[in-house]
């Protein structure tokens, strides 16, 4: 088989033209069609790939294993759509978990992926009125560094400022996970064989130590500096029990009787009472009894506010 320059030129142009039209190139089939070896076709494919890279076209050549063909994929297919960017930004804004400057930088990076002026205008007002979080502290680097320590199973040291105290306390911890709940990021860590949760905005300093650890079995969870993790039992009487899962994703449906649902869940106390009260007559707290009595007191105090004048 003689691979002349004329034959090679036609072959490469033919493949390139079909790739640009969205067709796939099967190496074995191309070899049979042009009566050359598969290694020759592979060199042609490599040349096309090199050309695409040098020409800086907004596409790349990729082997699609499921179809056993090479295809030209547009880089845009690997980018977020304007709809996806809009939803992500709105979730970030609604979370109120990051300082305004971090929110702004993330928004700019996301918006740079979609050249849509309309989207920028849609988000301009929300960015302008975004209220900064009260701790006014960037957490991006801290979240990344502690996540890396978790991945490497490295012991860390933190200086933690508890609420009401002026001097931070140094703690040596085995970091287990970073979680987000109701406007705050939390570090779950093993503190002397007791899993404990720390609010990340209260971490003043962090250092990764050159000590590895094994992940322990998770027993009862203790929460540092926030309301303790609470086991609740509630009766839902509304039309959509999914609303309970929306607020407490780990909730378990214990029983159901017609349109009444009993749920149990382990929840962080922060913001819990406010949400339970916001559901009005649709939710009744059954346990713990202390929480039930506290809500009764709040409702009675509210009734005092609305007595007829």
């Amino acid at each position: 088989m003689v691979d002349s320059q004329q034959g090679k030129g036609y072959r490469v142009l033919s493949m390139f033209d079909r790739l640009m039209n969205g067709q796939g190139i099967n190496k074995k089939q191309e070899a049979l069609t042009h009566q050359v070896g598969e290694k020759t076709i592979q060199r042609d494919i490599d040349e096309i790939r090199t050309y695409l890279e040098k020409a800086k076209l907004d596409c790349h050549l990729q082997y699609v294993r499921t179809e056993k063909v090479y295809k030209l994929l547009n880089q845009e297919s690997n980018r977020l759509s304007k709809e996806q960017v809009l939803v992500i930004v709105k979730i970030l804004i609604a979370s109120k978990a990051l300082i305004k400057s971090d929110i702004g930088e993330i928004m700019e990076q996301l918006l740079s992926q979609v050249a849509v002026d309309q989207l920028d205008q849609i988000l301009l007002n929300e960015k302008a009125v975004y209220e900064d979080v009260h701790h006014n502290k960037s957490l991006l680097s801290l979240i990344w560094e502690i996540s890396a320590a978790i991945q490497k199973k490295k012991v860390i040291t933190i200086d933690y400022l508890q609420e009401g105290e002026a001097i931070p306390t140094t703690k040596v911890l085995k970091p287990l996970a970073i979680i987000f709940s109701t406007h705050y990021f939390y570090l779950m860590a093993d503190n002397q064989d007791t899993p404990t949760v720390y609010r990340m905005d209260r971490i003043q300093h962090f250092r990764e130590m050159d000590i590895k650890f094994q992940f322990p079995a998770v027993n009862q969870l203790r929460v540092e500096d926030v309301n303790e993790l609470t086991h609740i039992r509630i009766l839902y009487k509304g039309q959509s029990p999914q609303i309970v899962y929306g607020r407490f994703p780990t909730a378990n449906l214990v029983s159901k009787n017609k349109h009444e649902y009993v749920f149990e869940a382990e929840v962080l106390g922060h913001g819990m009472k406010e949400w339970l009260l916001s559901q009005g007559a649709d939710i009744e707290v059954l346990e713990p009894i202390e929480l039930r009595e506290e809500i009764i007191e709040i409702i009675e105090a509210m009734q005092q506010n609305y007595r007829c004048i």
Side-chain angles (χ1 to χ4, degrees):
M1 291 182 288
V2 179
D3 187 19
S4 66
Q5 286 298 111
Q6 184 178 3
K8 177 181 178 181
Y10 171 80
R11 187 176 64 244
V12 173
L13 286 172
S14 172
M15 286 194 295
F16 184 77
D17 183 56
R18 281 176 285 145
L19 286 167
M20 292 297 289
N21 287 328
Q23 298 180 40
I25 299 295
N26 179 279
K27 190 163 60 174
K28 185 175 182 179
Q29 183 60 48
E30 288 297 311
L32 290 172
T33 300
H34 295 284
Q35 297 184 346
V36 295
E38 290 187 30
K39 289 185 178 179
T40 299
I41 298 299
Q42 184 62 57
R43 285 195 294 269
D44 294 341
I45 290 171
D46 291 340
E47 287 183 10
I48 292 173
R49 181 181 285 112
T50 300
Y51 169 76
L52 292 170
E53 292 174 355
K54 288 184 177 180
K56 296 182 178 180
L57 298 179
D58 200 16
C59 54
H60 68 284
L61 194 58
Q62 182 172 314
Y63 182 68
V64 182
R65 193 172 299 278
T66 54
E67 301 178 34
K68 297 182 180 180
V69 296
Y70 286 88
K71 277 191 172 181
L72 208 55
L73 300 183
N74 196 313
Q75 297 286 16
E76 293 293 332
S77 63
N78 295 326
R79 296 181 181 178
L80 294 170
S81 68
K82 61 182 183 297
E83 294 87 358
Q84 290 170 326
V85 169
L86 177 61
V87 169
I88 291 171
V89 170
K90 282 186 171 291
I91 291 172
L92 280 172
I93 290 174
S95 73
K96 296 189 179 297
L98 302 174
I99 61 174
K100 192 169 186 177
S101 59
D102 284 345
I103 287 284
E105 290 178 7
I106 293 172
M107 285 178 64
E108 288 178 9
Q109 290 291 332
L110 289 169
L111 289 170
S112 68
Q113 296 193 37
V114 285
V116 182
D117 293 337
Q118 183 186 8
L119 180 57
D120 194 34
Q121 291 300 316
I122 290 173
L123 297 173
L124 185 62
N125 183 60
E126 294 191 52
K127 185 166 59 173
V129 300
Y130 180 77
E131 294 183 9
D132 222 340
V133 293
H134 73 276
H135 57 72
N136 195 29
K137 179 179 180 180
S138 176
L139 298 176
L140 298 183
S141 295
L142 183 64
I143 291 171
W144 176 264
E145 291 168 359
I146 294 182
S147 295
I150 293 171
Q151 178 69 24
K152 293 182 285 187
K153 299 180 182 178
K154 290 291 189 71
V155 174
I156 64 172
T157 299
I158 65 171
D159 293 331
Y160 191 75
L161 186 63
Q162 297 189 32
E163 187 174 7
E165 296 189 358
I167 301 175
T169 303
T170 300
K171 299 178 182 292
V172 179
L173 307 171
K174 300 172 183 176
L176 305 177
I178 292 175
I179 57 178
F180 175 78
S181 176
T182 319
H183 309 316
Y184 292 101
F185 285 95
Y186 298 93
L187 166 65
M188 183 188 298
D190 190 339
N191 181 5
Q192 297 179 349
D193 296 327
T194 303
T196 306
V197 171
Y198 302 88
R199 245 178 57 184
M200 294 194 69
D201 58 285
R202 295 194 179 279
I203 298 176
Q204 305 298 302
H205 300 97
F206 153 81
R207 183 169 65 90
E208 180 183 301
M209 303 178 69
D210 193 21
I211 304 173
K212 299 201 72 172
F213 69 93
Q214 295 295 322
F215 278 92
V218 178
N219 300 313
Q220 187 175 358
L221 185 65
R222 186 163 60 87
V223 180
E224 188 84 11
D225 209 33
V226 293
N227 295 332
E228 290 186 0
L229 196 72
T230 303
H231 177 84
I232 64 171
R233 186 180 178 93
I234 58 177
L235 174 63
Y236 180 78
K237 309 173 187 178
Q239 297 298 314
S240 178
Q242 289 298 322
I243 197 172
V244 177
Y245 292 116
R247 182 59 180 85
F248 307 124
T250 59
N252 293 317
L253 179 61
V254 178
S255 64
K256 175 183 175 182
N257 181 18
K258 294 184 179 179
H259 295 294
E260 294 188 347
Y261 305 81
V262 176
F263 289 93
E264 290 186 353
E266 298 283 343
V267 300
L268 285 171
H270 186 83
M272 175 183 60
K273 282 183 296 184
E274 290 82 356
W275 184 84
L276 292 170
L277 287 164
S278 72
Q279 301 307 304
D282 284 351
I283 280 185
E284 177 186 351
V285 175
L286 303 177
E287 296 177 4
I289 189 64
E290 295 85 1
L291 177 61
R292 180 182 174 88
E293 290 175 348
E294 189 174 349
I295 287 182
I296 290 173
E297 290 177 3
I298 293 173
I299 293 173
E300 289 175 348
M302 290 172 64
Q303 286 179 325
Q304 295 294 323
N305 293 338
Y306 292 95
R307 284 185 170 181
C308 294
I309 297 175

